[in-house]
């Protein structure tokens, strides 16, 4: 049997109200569709913790800072529904933009601090768009738990912050990044890579993890990061937007990884912008590397 596709908030609320009356725990997995194993890992995690899982599919125009990127974003609702049904997800909530942002919509949820820097610098307005739609999806679904990928590490922090600040009664659960067999972090945007770009793309993760391992020194950080930027360019990427060390807990800038930290990167390969991140510990160990095969 297929997964029910719900288009309106009224319909969604009436279904969730029945679940709530029955005392069921509800999870939400927000996505923009073009589902891959990374998304499906969140759905599985949701199914393991909650009684009902709502997957949302909304290509949110407010979080695209480039109109061309919005137009080019893959839209594969039929295939997405077919991938979700066998997992046992309960609802695919796929509202129209006109329902999410009706005429006269004038509210923006803006999270300062963790939204600044990294993707916030290179994608102006992006996190306002994310925060606004995620807030709406939390309020519309009334979910007890929300599942997010560490792949979008800064987004995860933005969501945690807004939930805390606005007292939204939802628990945010972070799930590790799922990767292709060659290490490339899965992303809906990977489909846009040409064959030669796809061959070059895994170098980003390789360099990221290698660099994270090399950051266990106090006086070499700048040099190691610089060498990594050069290596990414040498691998065929045209631009490194950022390669930065931050604290894992609150994304604060740190000069040396003297506490649990993350190394975050964004780089352009042809017309495609790829992001990734790796955990860095002061003792130099690196975690968070989950192969697609292990998650399947
Ligand atoms: P998106 O459809 O790109 O907006 O992503 C929806 C959710 O899936 C977000 O919480 C992402 O962090 C998560 N996600 C995307 N790619 C991956 C991945 N490779 N591994 C784990 N989670 C992912």
């Amino acid at each position: 049997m297929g997964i029910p596709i719900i288009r309106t908030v009224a319909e969604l609320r009436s279904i969730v109200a029945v679940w709530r009356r029955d005392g069921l725990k509800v999870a939400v997995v927000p996505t923009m569709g073009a589902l891959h194993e990374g998304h499906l890992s969140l759905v599985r995690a949701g199914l393991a913790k909650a009684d009902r899982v709502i997957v949302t599919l909304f290509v949110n125009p407010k979080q695209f800072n480039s109109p061309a990127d919005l137009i080019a974003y893959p839209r594969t609702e039929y295939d997405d529904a077919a991938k979700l049904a066998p997992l046992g997800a309960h609802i695919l909530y796929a509202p129209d933009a006109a329902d999410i942002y009706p005429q006269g919509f004038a509210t923006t949820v803006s999270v300062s601090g963790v939204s600044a820097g990294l993707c916030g610098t290179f994608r102006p307005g992006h996190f306002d768009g994310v925060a606004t739609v995620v807030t709406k999806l939390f309020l519309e679904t009334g979910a007890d738990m929300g599942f997010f990928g560490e792949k979008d590490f800064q987004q995860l922090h933005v969501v945690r912050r807004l939930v805390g600040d606005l007292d939204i009664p939802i628990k945010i659960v972070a799930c590790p990044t799922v990767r292709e067999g060659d290490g490339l972090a899965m992303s809906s945007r990977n489909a846009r890579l040409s064959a030669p770009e796809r061959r070059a793309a895994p170098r980003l993760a390789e360099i990221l993890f290698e660099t994270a391992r090399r950051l266990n020194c106090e006086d070499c950080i700048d040099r190691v990061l610089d060498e990594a930027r050069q290596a990414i360019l040498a691998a065929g990427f045209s631009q490194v937007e950022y390669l930065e060390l931050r604290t894992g807990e609150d994304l604060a800038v740190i000069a040396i990884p003297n506490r649990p930290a993350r190394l975050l990167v964004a780089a352009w390969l042809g017309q495609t912008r790829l992001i990734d991140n790796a955990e860095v510990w002061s003792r130099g160990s690196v975690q968070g590397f989950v192969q697609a095969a292990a998650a399947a």
Side-chain angles (χ1 to χ4, degrees):
M1 208 183 75
I3 183 170
I5 300 179
I6 304 302
R7 303 276 174 205
T8 66
V9 66
E11 225 182 328
L12 175 71
R13 285 209 165 112
S14 67
I15 293 168
V16 174
V18 174
W19 291 348
R20 293 235 158 274
R21 196 197 54 205
D22 293 344
L24 300 175
K25 286 272 176 226
V26 179
V28 64
V29 180
T31 83
M32 296 204 300
L35 301 183
H36 50 65
E37 195 55 44
H39 297 113
L40 301 186
S41 74
L42 306 183
V43 176
R44 287 194 196 94
L47 286 164
K49 291 243 163 67
D51 304 302
R52 295 289 181 270
V53 173
I54 303 167
V55 179
T56 73
L57 193 179
F58 181 61
V59 182
N60 176 29
K62 285 194 189 293
Q63 72 187 70
F64 284 81
N65 50 309
S66 149
D69 191 26
L70 174 61
I71 290 165
Y73 203 85
R75 288 162 172 85
T76 57
E77 183 184 295
Y78 183 85
D79 291 347
D80 293 342
K83 285 177 187 169
L84 291 171
L87 295 188
H90 298 87
I91 278 180
L92 179 59
Y93 175 49
D96 289 330
D99 286 321
I100 292 283
Y101 302 122
Q103 192 75 30
F105 187 89
T107 300
T108 298
V109 179
S110 191
V111 180
S112 57
V114 288
S115 291
L118 305 170
C119 289
T121 300
F122 291 92
R123 302 189 68 188
H126 169 68
F127 287 121
D128 282 2
V130 169
T132 303
V133 83
V134 164
T135 302
K136 285 197 64 136
L137 293 171
F138 288 167
L139 297 175
E140 290 179 356
T141 58
D144 303 287
M145 288 169 258
F147 288 76
F148 289 81
E150 290 189 348
K151 156 86 179 3
D152 300 275
F153 200 68
Q154 192 176 13
Q155 169 175 283
L156 174 65
H157 279 270
V158 169
V159 171
R160 284 217 161 111
R161 186 81 246 171
L162 79 84
V163 161
D165 288 354
L166 300 179
D167 298 317
I168 301 178
I170 186 168
K171 181 177 177 224
I172 301 304
V173 182
C175 300
T177 300
V178 178
R179 298 174 182 280
E180 302 285 357
D182 59 14
L184 175 64
M186 288 193 178
S187 164
S188 306
R189 289 190 168 85
N190 293 350
R192 290 195 210 158
L193 297 170
S194 68
E197 287 167 356
R198 178 61 189 83
R199 283 194 292 277
R203 282 291 290 144
L204 187 67
E206 272 172 41
I207 295 165
L208 178 75
F209 279 83
E210 173 61 24
T211 306
R213 266 189 293 273
R214 292 178 64 205
L215 286 177
N216 58 350
C217 50
E218 292 215 348
D219 51 1
C220 70
I221 305 296
D222 289 347
R223 178 175 53 78
V224 169
L225 292 181
D226 227 46
E227 286 171 7
R229 288 185 197 100
Q230 296 310 320
I232 294 167
L233 294 174
F237 287 74
S238 56
Q239 189 198 349
V240 181
E241 282 188 350
Y242 61 79
L243 175 69
E244 285 187 33
L245 187 64
R246 298 290 182 107
T247 61
E249 201 186 302
D250 57 7
L251 283 190
V253 176
I254 38 168
I256 52 169
N258 52 5
R259 52 201 142 137
R262 283 268 162 174
L263 184 61
L264 302 104
V265 69
W268 284 87
L269 187 54
Q271 301 300 307
T272 310
R273 181 178 183 272
L274 300 179
I275 61 170
D276 205 343
N277 66 85
E279 197 167 8
V280 182
W281 290 83
S282 47
R283 64 181 184 277
S285 72
V286 178
Q287 299 170 8
F289 195 98
V290 176
Q291 297 285 355

